[in-house]
């Protein structure tokens, strides 16, 4: 570690912070650019320098990301004046426990599939989808998806079937997904 001691606090370079957290330097830079994780200081040469408090904040950011919260929501949570680190950690723990419970239920549901096959019985449609633990498409997802990725032909058909009409969207997004690992609406077969 090439952290330097300045007074009582340790200073860390951006590469060290990225390595500690298991993220890329580009991600750390991005978090700085959007005001989510600003460095405590700069070196004489202008390089970002992070302190232990910055690492604590990054830990909270990454926990919230793991829970699926968007960066905008995380920024709002972390900037609330009444927000305290311990309160955030308690809330994160509650969310993680709930997520662990959902995953445990999903594992049990997946385990029932080979058990049912071994016994020669078929699962009901409800049992097949029990693996999702009562999952329902989040409220406002179609609108958010159209905003983020555009209205793909599959999404347009979905909206038409629901009587929602065209959601709008960028022309580029409707021409097909170019991402190697798409998380957009085309990931469910709704687009190219």
């Amino acid at each position: 570690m090439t952290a330097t001691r300045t007074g009582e606090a340790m200073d860390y370079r951006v590469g060290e912070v990225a390595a500690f957290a298991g993220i890329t330097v580009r991600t750390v830079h991005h978090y700085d650019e959007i005001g989510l994780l600003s460095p405590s200081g700069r070196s004489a040469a202008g390089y970002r320098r992070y302190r232990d408090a910055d690492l604590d904040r990054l830990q909270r950011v990454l926990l919230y990301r793991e829970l699926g919260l968007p960066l905008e929501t995380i920024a709002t949570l972390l900037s609330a004046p009444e927000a305290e680190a311990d309160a955030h950690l308690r809330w994160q723990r509650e969310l993680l426990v709930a997520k662990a419970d959902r995953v445990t239920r999903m594992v049990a549901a997946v385990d029932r599939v080979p058990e049912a096959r071994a016994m020669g019985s078929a699962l009901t449609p409800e049992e097949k989808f029990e693996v999702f633990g009562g999952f329902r498409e989040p409220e406002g997802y179609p609108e958010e998806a159209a905003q983020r990725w555009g209205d793909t032909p599959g999404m347009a058909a979905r909206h038409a079937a629901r009587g929602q009409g065209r959601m709008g969207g960028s022309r580029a997004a409707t021409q097909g997904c170019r991402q190697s690992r798409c998380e957009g609406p085309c990931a469910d077969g709704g687009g190219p």
Side-chain angles (χ1 to χ4, degrees):
M1 172 185 354
T2 58
T4 58
R5 185 168 282 289
T6 55
E8 291 298 313
M10 296 292 286
D11 283 341
Y12 304 98
R13 297 181 315 201
V14 67
E16 293 171 316
V17 171
F20 293 151
I23 58 177
T24 65
V25 168
R26 179 65 198 121
T27 298
V28 178
H29 286 178
H30 177 66
Y31 288 173
D32 182 17
E33 290 166 6
I34 64 173
L36 195 56
L37 178 71
S38 299
S40 289
R42 297 271 180 170
S43 70
Y47 294 108
R48 295 169 175 90
R49 303 300 290 187
Y50 295 88
R51 300 239 169 104
D52 289 328
D54 302 323
L55 298 181
D56 292 343
R57 182 176 174 97
L58 179 58
Q59 180 190 41
R60 290 191 302 273
V61 168
L62 295 177
L63 281 170
Y64 282 134
R65 286 297 290 159
E66 180 63 27
L67 293 168
L69 297 178
L71 293 177
E72 299 82 17
T73 302
I74 295 170
T76 300
L77 286 169
L78 295 180
S79 67
E82 70 279 356
E84 296 178 14
D86 288 342
H88 277 280
L89 288 173
R90 281 191 300 275
W91 187 57
Q92 286 172 335
R93 184 181 188 291
E94 290 171 15
L95 292 173
L96 287 168
V97 167
K99 184 176 183 177
D101 288 345
R102 282 191 306 276
V103 170
T104 299
R105 286 192 310 271
M106 289 175 71
V107 168
V110 167
D111 287 345
R112 280 195 295 278
V113 173
E115 290 170 6
R117 284 187 186 144
M119 293 176 18
S121 62
L123 295 175
T124 67
E126 293 82 9
E127 290 171 330
K128 288 178 183 179
F129 291 99
E130 187 178 293
V131 70
F132 298 109
F135 171 81
R136 297 290 179 254
E137 193 171 77
E139 187 70 30
Y141 173 78
E143 293 79 10
E144 180 184 348
Q147 227 176 12
R148 292 177 83 178
W149 296 291
D151 204 8
T152 65
M155 286 296 285
R158 258 176 106 175
H159 298 307
R162 291 181 178 174
Q164 295 173 327
R166 184 169 171 76
M167 296 299 296
S170 70
R171 185 174 180 270
T174 61
Q175 293 176 350
C177 181
R178 308 276 189 262
Q179 297 178 359
S180 61
R181 191 177 139 225
C182 180
E183 296 177 15
C186 60
D188 66 1

